[in-house]
Amino acid sequence: MSKLVIPRKTVYRLSLYYRALQRLRGNRVETVSSAALSKAAGVKPTQLRKDLAYFGHFGTRGLGYNVPALSAKLTDVLGTTQLQPVILVGAGHLGSALLRYPGFAKEGFEVIAAFDADVEAKRRGIGVPVLPMGKMAEVVRDRHVKMAILAVPAVVAQEVVNELVAAGVLAILNFAPLMLQVPDNVVVNSVDLAIELENLSYFIQ
Amino acid sequence: MSKLVIPRKTVYRLSLYYRALQRLRGNRVETVSSAALSKAAGVKPTQLRKDLAYFGHFGTRGLGYNVPALSAKLTDVLGTTQLQPVILVGAGHLGSALLRYPGFAKEGFEVIAAFDADVEAKRRGIGVPVLPMGKMAEVVRDRHVKMAILAVPAVVAQEVVNELVAAGVLAILNFAPLMLQVPDNVVVNSVDLAIELENLSYFIQ
């Protein structure tokens, strides 16, 4: 229940802290001050302390945070302790590039299958089976898939989302440039590349 | 000067309003109520009115907004009236998928060239010349490029950014999973795909 009060931006920053901690672990650092950790994550120390306070009491005054312990806690909070099965829908140019993106596996997400209306796309799924759309609901149900990456054209996106939600998907990373309608229990994060450029365009005038 | 006080989220929402207005124009709608426009953009009517108020007085009480006039105003505010030249650095899997992404041109951004350390990447730039990294600064200066899309590996990203900034780039859309250090006059928007998934993962637990 208490989860609902945690700001979405805080959850984003937890990922930044986790990455900074991973780099520290790579350098065999055991303890880190809140000043050093916040700097590594690109946030203010007060923000770091406020964000972590949502999840309990961390760190020892004068010593800082224990790097492996805080890493483990963040993995637990973010729900990435276990490998999450993810499907990708739409294996066009962007979708097939995403299939080759090494960052997902590194962060605990396994793209178990891709789906596309075009059988030609099968050739583009390197190491990941690309299946016809008709198999999507079945795979979602059988493999208990809760997360999907959507890289289909805008005109079919809502229809695909309806099918994903009906099959049990609860979270969608959307690359189609439109607003998706989903029930309240489903979360959508949209990445609209043109909007990102448009936003930059504003700031350089 | 007044630009600095406009929240970044407001600028993002201007892009959503602009897209909604484009759809209305496509349907030959001349006037739209603030309730209908805000619904089409997926925001609350109070938010729409507050956002637009930063840029002047729009709409007529009881009638709503003039669709072509508000579209033109938003294009002007967002700085997308003229085609913006953009370069892409890093023509690997993600970078070459971005080169094929039709959304950039549609929204007024022309990717004039891509740069890559690997000459093999030349084959992947469909319709866009892929040039060696050594040519990057020259093209930025000669073509007055202010915006760059960065899709290089994290280990070289900061070095590339330093070179882009020295050549005159003021805005970077960054896909490399790290915090970039830039001077105060340079804006960076980062898209970290793994962080987006991690964020979703939190919400479906």
Side-chain angles (χ1 to χ4, degrees), chain B residues 36-52:
Chain B
L37 179 56
S38 58
K39 197 180 171 201
V43 306
K44 288 180 185 148
T46 49
Q47 184 73 67
L48 169 71
R49 284 191 288 265
K50 199 175 152 193
D51 287 339
L52 294 182

Side-chain angles (χ1 to χ4, degrees), chain B residues 43-93:
Chain B
V43 306
K44 288 180 185 148
T46 49
Q47 184 73 67
L48 169 71
R49 284 191 288 265
K50 199 175 152 193
D51 287 339
L52 294 182
Y54 283 108
F55 306 97
H57 180 70
F58 302 100
T60 310
R61 190 171 293 271
L63 278 176
Y65 302 104
N66 177 283
V67 173
L70 186 55
S71 289
K73 177 66 189 179
L74 291 183
T75 309
D76 186 41
V77 167
L78 289 167
T80 48
T81 309
Q82 292 175 301
L83 209 61
Q84 278 268 5
V86 178
I87 59 162
L88 180 136
V89 192
H93 292 307

Side-chain angles (χ1 to χ4, degrees), chain A residues 12 15 77-78 196 198 205, chain B residues 12 15 77 196 198 201 205:
Chain A
Y12 267 107
S15 290
V77 167
L78 288 166
E196 295 293 337
E198 214 165 271
Q205 285 177 86
Chain B
Y12 267 108
S15 291
V77 167
E196 294 294 336
E198 215 165 272
S201 162
Q205 284 176 85

Side-chain angles (χ1 to χ4, degrees), chain A residues 178-181, chain B residues 13 16-17 20 23 34-45 47-48 51:
Chain A
L178 85 165
M179 301 289 303
L180 298 171
Q181 309 296 323
Chain B
R13 284 189 297 263
L16 299 180
Y17 305 147
R23 289 193 298 272
S34 75
L37 179 56
S38 58
K39 197 180 171 201
V43 306
K44 288 180 185 148
Q47 184 73 67
L48 169 71
D51 287 339

Side-chain angles (χ1 to χ4, degrees), chain B residues 92-167:
Chain B
H93 292 307
L94 184 60
S96 53
L98 293 174
L99 285 179
R100 295 187 192 101
Y101 178 65
F104 293 142
K106 210 177 124 199
E107 304 298 335
F109 302 98
E110 186 195 6
V111 183
I112 59 163
F115 298 89
D116 200 285
D118 175 12
V119 289
E120 280 296 293
K122 278 178 189 161
R123 288 187 287 115
R124 297 198 287 264
I126 293 173
V128 175
V130 181
L131 309 172
M133 295 295 288
K135 295 274 179 196
M136 190 173 74
E138 187 186 321
V139 171
V140 168
R141 276 189 288 259
D142 290 355
R143 302 285 302 265
H144 306 285
V145 175
K146 299 292 170 218
M147 301 177 69
I149 302 168
L150 194 68
V152 298
V155 284
V156 297
Q158 185 62 53
E159 192 186 327
V160 171
V161 164
N162 296 346
E163 203 185 330
L164 287 169
V165 169

Side-chain angles (χ1 to χ4, degrees), chain A residues 101-164:
Chain A
Y101 179 65
F104 293 141
K106 210 176 124 197
E107 304 299 335
F109 302 98
E110 185 194 6
V111 182
I112 59 163
F115 298 89
D116 200 286
D118 175 12
V119 290
E120 280 295 292
K122 278 179 188 158
R123 288 187 288 115
R124 297 200 286 264
I126 293 175
V128 175
V130 180
L131 308 172
M133 295 297 287
K135 294 274 179 195
M136 190 174 75
E138 185 186 323
V139 171
V140 167
R141 277 190 286 259
D142 290 356
R143 302 286 302 268
H144 306 284
V145 174
K146 300 290 169 220
M147 300 176 70
I149 301 168
L150 192 68
V152 298
V155 284
V156 297
Q158 185 62 53
E159 191 186 328
V160 171
V161 163
N162 297 347
E163 202 185 333
L164 287 169

Side-chain angles (χ1 to χ4, degrees), chain A residues 17-171:
Chain A
Y17 305 147
Y18 179 67
R19 273 168 184 62
L21 288 166
Q22 275 181 308
R23 289 194 297 273
L24 291 166
R25 288 186 80 174
N27 295 329
R28 294 164 187 273
V29 174
E30 278 289 315
T31 319
V32 63
S33 68
S34 75
L37 179 56
S38 58
K39 197 179 171 200
V43 304
K44 289 181 183 147
T46 48
Q47 185 72 67
L48 169 71
R49 283 191 291 264
K50 200 176 151 192
D51 287 338
L52 294 182
Y54 282 108
F55 306 97
H57 180 71
F58 301 100
T60 311
R61 190 170 290 274
L63 277 175
Y65 301 104
N66 178 282
V67 173
L70 186 55
S71 289
K73 177 68 189 176
L74 290 182
T75 308
D76 186 40
V77 167
L78 288 166
T80 49
T81 309
Q82 291 174 303
L83 209 60
Q84 278 267 7
V86 178
I87 60 162
L88 180 136
V89 191
H93 291 308
L94 184 61
S96 53
L98 294 173
L99 285 178
R100 297 188 190 100
Y101 179 65
F104 293 141
K106 210 176 124 197
E107 304 299 335
F109 302 98
E110 185 194 6
V111 182
I112 59 163
F115 298 89
D116 200 286
D118 175 12
V119 290
E120 280 295 292
K122 278 179 188 158
R123 288 187 288 115
R124 297 200 286 264
I126 293 175
V128 175
V130 180
L131 308 172
M133 295 297 287
K135 294 274 179 195
M136 190 174 75
E138 185 186 323
V139 171
V140 167
R141 277 190 286 259
D142 290 356
R143 302 286 302 268
H144 306 284
V145 174
K146 300 290 169 220
M147 300 176 70
I149 301 168
L150 192 68
V152 298
V155 284
V156 297
Q158 185 62 53
E159 191 186 328
V160 171
V161 163
N162 297 347
E163 202 185 333
L164 287 169
V165 169
V169 163
L170 292 173

